[in-house]
Amino acid sequence: MRILAFRAAVLLGLLAIWQLVAAGRNPVLYVAPSAIPGALVRVLSVQDLPPLPEHVWLTLREIVAAYALAVSAGLWLGFLLGLQKSLGRIYEPILAALYAIPSVVWYPSLMLFFGLGPASKIAFGFLLGFFPVALSVLAGIRQVDRHLVTVAVSMGAGRGAIFLKVILPGMASTLVGGLRAGLALSVVGVLVGETLGSRSGIGYLINYAYGLLMTPEYAALVVLVGAAVLAIDGAAGLFEARVRRWAG
């Protein structure tokens, strides 16, 4: 409760500072927090903006598709390289080097190849979410206690039993952390892709409001996106905590 109270106090303090800084200034450039509730009402009632629900639904579908692809490919490649040590030693440095490249440099090529439709946003979200998942699998496999594997083999356990009862619990915390990071980056990738070049989606609405200098509506959309991302990350955090308790 003390932590929650401290967080609330920090949030209220930041809002108060924001209100003081923005009050009396040009509303086109400075949006006070007191102006956001009215802008939220206008956004939700679809005043002066394209219809909100269809853009929200499109963005959610893109995020789900991008994350599902990132998890599928990341788990497959991570386990392949982690369980095959020779392949891991060869290809892990390449994977880490690709991950170190700023991801935004890939987007123009993706947009050129896939166009302005949802495919380029899904591809960008997949690209951002893939690397944390794959690298977390590699790191998780390497932190498994090899003595436990040796004991399981000596007691006659097969490969499936070793994987389910030794390797998976031993790497669960690292794996779930990578899945959570991949989810956050997939969301960021889709939204950034929609903002940089799209004709639909929440990112497109944000760019639309910004281009028409509808600053309160722009701020309201950003607040909506921030609240949704916090809710998604909070749910992922609860899942991570449950997995950590199971693995512990």
Side-chain angles (χ1 to χ4, degrees):
M1 293 299 296
R2 287 196 299 269
I3 293 175
L4 291 176
F6 180 75
R7 290 176 178 174
V10 170
L11 178 61
L12 291 175
L14 291 175
L15 289 175
I17 294 172
W18 183 5
Q19 181 70 32
L20 290 173
V21 171
R25 294 176 179 261
N26 186 346
V28 175
L29 300 177
Y30 297 90
V31 182
S34 57
I36 290 181
L40 277 173
V41 172
R42 292 193 296 275
V43 168
L44 295 175
S45 60
V46 198
Q47 295 181 12
D48 305 322
L49 283 173
L52 184 64
E54 61 185 59
H55 292 281
V56 171
W57 177 238
L58 176 64
T59 299
L60 288 176
R61 284 185 294 170
E62 291 173 348
I63 290 172
V64 170
Y67 185 60
L69 291 172
V71 170
S72 300
L75 291 178
W76 175 79
L77 185 62
F79 280 116
L80 177 65
L81 300 183
L83 297 176
Q84 301 291 332
K85 294 183 180 180
S86 57
L87 289 177
R89 285 195 294 267
I90 294 172
Y91 291 105
E92 185 186 5
I94 300 174
L95 198 64
L98 291 174
Y99 186 41
I101 298 174
S103 56
V104 72
V105 305
W106 298 108
Y107 186 69
S109 299
L110 295 175
M111 190 167 56
L112 181 65
F113 187 78
F114 292 104
L116 294 176
S120 60
K121 286 65 185 176
I122 293 173
F124 195 44
F126 159 76
L127 187 65
L128 266 65
F130 164 76
F131 289 104
V133 175
L135 292 174
S136 70
V137 173
L138 281 169
I141 290 176
R142 288 177 179 171
Q143 75 180 18
V144 174
D145 190 345
R146 295 299 167 187
H147 295 292
L148 296 178
V149 176
T150 302
V151 171
V153 171
S154 67
M155 296 180 67
R159 290 186 177 183
I162 292 173
F163 177 78
L164 292 175
K165 296 184 178 181
V166 179
I167 295 178
L168 194 58
M171 63 178 293
S173 297
T174 303
L175 174 60
V176 174
L179 292 174
R180 183 180 179 183
L183 175 60
L185 289 176
S186 292
V187 173
V188 169
V190 169
L191 291 175
V192 169
E194 290 180 346
T195 304
L196 292 178
S198 180
R199 294 169 292 186
S200 56
I202 293 295
Y204 162 75
L205 289 183
I206 292 174
N207 200 32
Y208 180 92
Y210 174 79
L212 294 180
L213 296 180
M214 300 167 65
T215 313
E217 287 78 6
Y218 164 80
L221 287 168
V222 171
V223 168
L224 283 176
V225 170
V229 170
L230 287 176
I232 292 172
D233 186 68
L238 292 176
F239 176 71
E240 181 180 2
R242 290 180 66 88
V243 172
R244 288 181 186 276
R245 287 196 297 269
W246 169 76

